[in-house]
């Protein structure tokens, strides 16, 4: 019997999809060095290590990239950007709609927060390893 390989690729374009990605990433570990904002491309990248909750494999760790498109601004709170090794644990992802803009909030442990200003919800969660 061959081992089933399951590489997740979840694309969110609305609140329902965003909540699914949030659930998959809850408890994911990262650090400041794994967070990148490519301003010219309007792309925000978050590299995480998470458990495979969506495949019922809570004991299996997987490296994933969470990519946010159409990002026009990034603000952070309680994150020391000079400390590249600062550990962060993602608790969840929320969003607010303000006029024609969205604010997507990445909520971390220790009251840390990254707020993304975007014109649309387009988020991809892709596994890098299985």
């Amino acid at each position: 019997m061959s081992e089933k390989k399951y590489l997740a690729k979840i694309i969110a374009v609305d609140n329902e999809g965003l909540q699914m990605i949030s659930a998959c990433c809850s408890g994911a570990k990262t650090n400041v060095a794994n967070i990148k904002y490519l301003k010219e491309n309007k792309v925000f990248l978050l590299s995480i290590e998470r458990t495979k909750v969506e495949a019922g494999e809570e004991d299996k760790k997987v490296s994933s990239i969470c990519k946010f498109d159409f990002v026009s601004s990034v603000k952070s709170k309680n994150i020391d950007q000079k400390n590249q090794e600062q550990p962060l644990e993602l608790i969840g992802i929320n969003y607010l709609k303000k006029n024609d803009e969205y604010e997507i909030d990445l909520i971390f442990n220790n009251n840390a927060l990254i707020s993304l200003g975007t014109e649309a919800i387009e988020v991809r969660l892709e596994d890098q390893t299985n």
Side-chain angles (χ1 to χ4, degrees):
M1 185 182 260
S2 66
E3 187 182 311
K4 186 174 96 178
K5 297 216 182 280
Y6 176 73
L7 288 182
K9 182 176 185 175
I10 303 168
I11 300 172
V13 293
D14 58 16
N15 183 44
E16 195 176 317
L18 194 62
Q19 291 312 309
M20 184 171 188
I21 288 177
S22 177
C24 289
C25 294
S26 183
K29 307 272 193 254
T30 191
N31 61 29
V32 172
N34 291 325
I35 301 170
K36 302 275 182 273
Y37 177 43
L38 311 173
K39 196 171 186 172
E40 307 76 43
N41 303 44
K42 292 191 164 193
V43 170
F44 182 85
L45 298 170
L46 178 64
S47 179
I48 56 174
E49 183 181 84
R50 65 184 192 89
T51 53
K52 289 196 62 88
V53 290
E54 75 282 358
E57 299 174 30
E58 279 81 11
D59 57 340
K60 187 168 184 184
K61 298 280 186 211
V62 62
S63 293
S64 301
I65 302 272
C66 206
K67 178 184 178 204
F68 298 82
D69 286 308
F70 307 110
V71 176
S72 53
S73 68
V74 177
K75 295 183 197 114
S76 68
K77 189 175 98 178
N78 297 328
I79 295 175
D80 180 1
Q81 294 177 18
K82 292 180 188 77
N83 179 2
Q84 294 288 295
E85 297 306 309
Q86 179 183 352
L88 295 165
E89 181 180 326
L90 186 61
I91 294 168
I93 304 170
N94 281 331
Y95 89 99
L96 295 164
K97 186 165 197 245
K98 291 194 223 165
N99 304 321
D100 293 334
E101 289 272 307
Y102 291 93
E103 180 182 293
I104 298 175
D105 292 328
L106 307 174
I107 303 157
F108 295 94
N109 62 332
N110 299 325
N111 214 15
L113 175 80
I114 297 176
S115 220
L116 309 176
T118 72
E119 56 199 60
I121 295 176
E122 188 160 321
V123 184
R124 280 187 171 82
L125 176 65
E126 280 190 63
D127 291 352
Q128 304 300 301
T129 60
N130 51 359

